[in-house]
Structure formats: C-alpha cells, structure tokens
Amino acid sequence: MKAIVLQDRPGVENLRVVDRPQPVPRRQEILIRVRATALNYRDVEIVNGSYHTVFALPLVPLSDGVGEVVAIGEEVTRFKVGDRVCSTFWQRWAGGSFRMAEPAYQRGGPIDGLLADYAVLDEQAAVLAPRNLSDVEAATLPCAAVTAWHALVTLGAVKAGDTVLVQGTGGVALFALLFARANGARVIVTSSSDEKLRRAQALGAFASVNYRQNPEWADAVLDLTDGRGVDHVIEVGGPRSFEQSLKASARCGQINVIGYLGGKDGTINPLDIFRKQVQVRGIPVGSRESFEAMVRAIEALDLKPVIDRTFNWTEVAAAIHHLESGSHFGKVALVHE
C-alpha cells in the first residue's frame, strides 16, 4: 500500500510517499480502506516541527479520517466488514473524565495517522460514521467537531437562550456555531474578515465583531448582550485574546481553551477570573462517548460540516500551505482514491 510519512526530520518538504506492507488486523482490530482525511493545526505543527511534543520519526501524519472496514481480526464485536467508520483521536479514551486518556495513544502522533491507503484501528478506537454525511464530511469530525461538542455539550451543558462567543471561522469555531445553534443558543462570531463574518451570519450567527477593527472587542460583545456578557467562549486565540474573552464573559460563564493561534505569550490576572467566578477549562478533544453522542445528534438533526476545500491526499503539502494561509472558512479535507 501507499502511505505518506514525515521522514527523518520536520518540514513539509520531508513528506514522502512510500510503499509499505498492507497491515493485517489482529485480535480486536479492524482494517479500514481510508476514503478521506482532514487537516488540523496540530497536524501542521507536527509536520513543521513546532508542536509542543516531539514524536519519533518516521511518522504517518493526520489523526482525522473515515474509511470502510475491509477486514476484521478475531473477537471483533463492534463492527463488521462494509461498515463506514471514523477513527477517534484518543485511542484509549472510551468515556469518563480526561483521567482516562493516555497520551501515548494519540492518532497522528505518536501513533501513525491515516495518511495512507489502509490503516488498522483498535475496535474500541472507532465510531460508525454518520449516515447522513459524505466521506469528506465525516472525515472532518474526530478532532474539530468532537472538541466543539465536548466543550459546549458534554461539559458545557449549553442550553436554549445561552449566548456563545466563537473566535474565528476555522473548523472548531464553525462546528461550535453549528452545535450551539442546534441547542437553541445565540452565537457571536469574531474574525478579522468582514467577508467571513458575513458567511458566519448566513450560517446562523446572531452577531459578529471584527477584532481587527475593534481591538477591544469585548466592549462590542458586552454591547451586543446588553452588558451581561456571554455564557460560553470558544477560546482559540491563546493568552493574548484570553483577557478579552474574560472581559466578555458573563458572571459564572465558561471559557473553553482550545488553542493558541494568536501566540503563546501573554499575561492573565487570576483575580479577574475570581471576580466573575468564571469556569476555565482546557478542551483536549473528547472521548469516544462524546463522539458517539455527537454522531446521534448529527444524524437526528441532519447537521452538515462546513468544508472549505478538498485536495487529493497526495497533495497534502498544498493542503497544509492552504491551511497555514488562514484564508480557509471551515475544514480542509483530503480525498483518498
């Protein structure tokens, strides 16, 4: 089979197409024919060597994907040949708290990812793909969608009448918009692009704020909420935007820390958290239990991911450059043929 590996050192130029033996599923494992994969910023950082954890090379990148089960090992009970499944990011976090997650079992680093013709998955580390989604749509779910769902629904218990602040228009942000709206919440979106803000409002956002035109954007958010603030924040900017997120939060609001696209440097005054009694938590994607609950909601409500652009999987370098450009609106996916 063909696989794309990050060879002996980081860098997009070091991604190579290689021939590998087609794997054989062992006890309680399934073999999938990969149909589509999707990119996350984590994948970009791993390839570029800027991720906070260094993984042994060579490595097959990408954690997110969907495939058809073509063979099963002994004692497999969760799936059968012909099923269409998504991989989970945390291979050994079936449910419960984050204490159950094992860092040594993350798909796409340190465990080989799905940028290949075939991949072997533990049957406990896969879920049936939503029946209403295409391969490309289903491939976008394992990290970005589960992160948004875990933050807002599993842990956040978002409800009708809540207000959710979503930063940006990338994968996690637009999934958060989708799930918040599905639960009856109002959504405010921030971006530096008026065009992207218009598109977000067309998807159902209640209001939008251009943070480039309004550096103190929390003031605009407070105006939009009559001074009350928001109940949930999807925080992807990092320390530099956290101060504004805290200012924009309602008393006893929730700030879900997802990423650090705005950088890793900055200062946070913990007294501000105390004064508002805000709950701050990091969101490390989510468990298989969260994933399966999300799939049921996607099917019941016929929810559809926002796909920015697709590439052939052998054009992964071009896809990475596109994601790095910041011009995308939604997810960037790869089609495997």
Side-chain angles (χ1 to χ4, degrees):
M1 72 170 193
K2 299 292 185 184
I4 295 179
V5 302
L6 185 62
Q7 284 282 49
D8 53 354
R9 60 187 183 278
V12 173
E13 68 279 5
N14 293 313
L15 290 169
R16 297 284 187 271
V17 179
V18 301
D19 289 310
R20 285 187 170 184
Q22 181 174 311
V24 176
R26 299 173 298 180
R27 177 178 172 270
Q28 296 183 337
E29 290 181 339
I30 60 176
L31 176 68
I32 65 169
R33 175 69 169 93
V34 181
R35 297 300 184 189
T37 50
L39 283 174
N40 296 289
Y41 274 106
R42 179 182 188 268
D43 303 312
V44 174
E45 289 197 324
I46 289 172
V47 170
N48 288 336
S50 56
Y51 192 60
H52 56 71
T53 303
V54 176
F55 299 125
L57 301 180
L59 175 71
V60 178
L62 274 58
S63 58
D64 288 14
V66 67
E68 178 187 350
V69 178
V70 294
I72 60 174
E74 296 177 358
E75 300 180 30
V76 169
T77 60
R78 284 173 46 80
F79 305 103
K80 65 183 183 301
V81 172
D83 283 344
R84 199 171 58 122
V85 302
C86 296
S87 172
T88 62
F89 173 69
W90 292 98
Q91 300 287 282
R92 294 196 178 182
W93 186 11
S97 76
F98 182 59
R99 293 186 183 93
M100 304 304 293
E102 297 183 44
Y105 292 90
Q106 298 172 78
R107 181 66 62 179
I111 295 176
D112 273 346
L114 301 178
L115 201 57
D117 287 328
Y118 296 88
V120 165
L121 307 176
D122 188 295
E123 69 166 332
Q124 301 298 331
V127 303
L128 286 171
R131 288 168 289 188
N132 63 315
L133 299 188
S134 68
D135 288 338
V136 166
E137 290 169 334
T140 68
L141 301 180
C143 280
V146 175
T147 295
W149 180 271
H150 200 70
L152 290 178
V153 181
T154 305
L155 299 180
V158 65
K159 60 186 183 299
D162 283 355
T163 303
V164 177
L165 173 67
V166 171
Q167 294 179 0
T169 55
V172 174
L174 292 186
F175 275 120
L177 168 59
L178 192 71
F179 298 145
R181 291 281 296 139
N183 282 276
R186 300 193 310 172
V187 180
I188 300 172
V189 178
T190 67
S191 174
S192 61
S193 165
D194 286 339
E195 174 58 27
K196 289 182 178 181
L197 291 175
R198 283 191 288 271
R199 294 178 68 182
Q201 289 191 254
L203 290 172
F206 154 69
S208 60
V209 179
N210 187 313
Y211 64 78
R212 184 164 293 164
Q213 298 171 8
N214 300 273
E216 299 294 318
W217 50 262
D219 293 334
V221 172
L222 290 172
D223 288 342
L224 288 167
T225 57
D226 297 323
R228 179 180 179 274
V230 299
D231 302 289
H232 309 263
V233 178
I234 301 298
E235 169 59 65
V236 301
R240 293 181 183 178
S241 64
F242 187 91
E243 181 182 1
Q244 291 295 304
S245 293
L246 186 53
K247 185 177 178 181
S249 294
R251 286 187 292 175
C252 298
Q254 305 176 38
I255 300 178
N256 300 283
V257 179
I258 311 296
Y260 43 84
L261 297 180
K264 303 174 185 178
D265 299 324
T267 59
I268 297 170
N269 184 352
L271 285 178
D272 291 334
I273 298 173
F274 171 78
R275 291 185 186 105
K276 282 196 172 182
Q277 292 293 290
V278 169
Q279 182 177 2
V280 180
R281 56 174 169 256
I283 303 295
V285 190
S287 66
R288 194 190 82 206
E289 183 180 31
S290 276
F291 200 155
E292 290 170 331
M294 181 191 74
V295 167
R296 292 193 293 272
I298 287 172
E299 290 184 338
L301 299 172
D302 195 24
L303 302 177
K304 300 285 187 177
V306 178
I307 308 298
D308 173 78
R309 187 174 169 186
T310 60
F311 294 79
N312 185 278
W313 73 287
T314 58
E315 300 173 320
V316 62
I320 287 174
H321 291 316
H322 178 64
L323 193 67
E324 287 177 310
S325 74
S327 63
H328 61 289
F329 183 89
K331 293 294 292 182
V332 176
L334 303 169
V335 177
H336 292 235
E337 297 176 348

